[in-house]
Amino acid sequence: MRTRVLSRRRRGPLCRRSDVVEAWTAVAVLLCLTVPPAGVLTARWAYEDARTAANEQRAERHRVRAEVLERPSTAHPPSGSESERRPAARATVRWTDPDEGTRTALARVAARARPGEAVHVWLDSRGRQVPPPVDDASVWQYGVGMGTLAGGATAAALLLAHRSVRRAALRRRLDEWERDWARTGPRWTHRGV
């Protein structure tokens, strides 16, 4: 005797449009009260974290002007998709360090660099080549991206919880209606008398 009322398109005869509007309005209000704060707080935290990391990188790394000593084509180019994104290769470069004098190292340079050309190389405190420090635009992108992700995850969790609670409540209601009908149905239909 139980009918399928859990489907999306088919609602039971006792489900009024106002009930559906009321339920979705409650969800919309809950989403409006939780998603923006979750997104903003996460974005703020992620921005501060990324800004701290960028400041540490800026304090630790420094840029030097170096001279290319060999053609990059004789060096081993980077493999994989990295070389497809930007044409770069490794070449021996030379620069003057105030403390240690003239130094040479293998560094990533543009693939079209020629011997004698000046390039900029980022070094850490130990003198190893490192990528440039994170710029302000990347810090903002990271913060906004994390905030958006947090807001979306909060919305998805709330909608999933709403759906689960509604489904459980509907099943319980159907069980109660069936139990009540089993008790009162025979009196109305005169079957068990």
Side-chain angles (χ1 to χ4, degrees):
M1 181 167 168
R2 176 181 269 193
T3 60
R4 184 175 168 94
V5 225
L6 296 177
S7 79
R8 289 183 188 171
R9 298 176 192 251
R10 196 167 162 208
R11 292 193 172 88
L14 299 178
C15 184
R16 298 170 299 192
R17 178 176 221 129
S18 62
D19 295 334
V20 174
V21 169
E22 180 182 350
W24 281 109
T25 302
V27 170
V29 168
L30 185 62
L31 287 173
C32 289
L33 292 176
T34 57
V35 171
V40 167
L41 290 174
T42 303
R44 190 175 207 177
W45 168 81
Y47 172 78
E48 290 297 327
D49 189 45
R51 191 175 72 174
T52 301
N55 289 338
E56 289 172 2
Q57 287 179 359
R58 286 185 193 117
E60 178 185 283
R61 299 174 185 186
H62 62 283
R63 185 171 81 163
V64 296
R65 185 180 168 118
E67 177 185 354
V68 177
L69 296 179
E70 66 177 10
R71 290 188 60 114
S73 58
T74 61
H76 298 289
S79 60
S81 65
E82 189 174 326
S83 62
E84 295 167 5
R85 284 187 296 191
R86 63 177 184 175
R90 292 196 179 270
T92 304
V93 296
R94 176 180 54 208
W95 71 93
T96 303
D97 189 305
D99 298 331
E100 298 178 18
T102 302
R103 296 191 52 197
T104 60
L106 196 61
R108 184 179 307 276
V109 297
R112 64 184 186 281
R114 293 174 300 215
E117 187 175 334
V119 294
H120 292 283
V121 178
W122 285 90
L123 303 171
D124 65 4
S125 58
R126 295 182 187 169
R128 296 178 300 189
Q129 186 189 10
V130 292
V134 177
D135 61 344
D136 290 335
S138 297
V139 171
W140 275 103
Q141 287 173 352
Y142 179 72
V144 169
M146 290 300 287
T148 302
L149 184 64
T154 302
L158 286 173
L159 290 173
L160 184 63
H162 174 258
R163 182 178 174 105
S164 299
V165 167
R166 280 187 51 115
R167 184 171 283 199
L170 183 58
R171 283 188 181 144
R172 181 164 183 200
R173 250 183 267 129
L174 287 175
D175 289 342
E176 288 173 356
W177 288 344
E178 201 169 301
R179 189 177 55 243
D180 289 347
W181 180 252
R183 226 178 345 180
T184 59
R187 281 188 264 165
W188 287 7
T189 59
H190 303 289
R191 285 188 188 162
V193 182

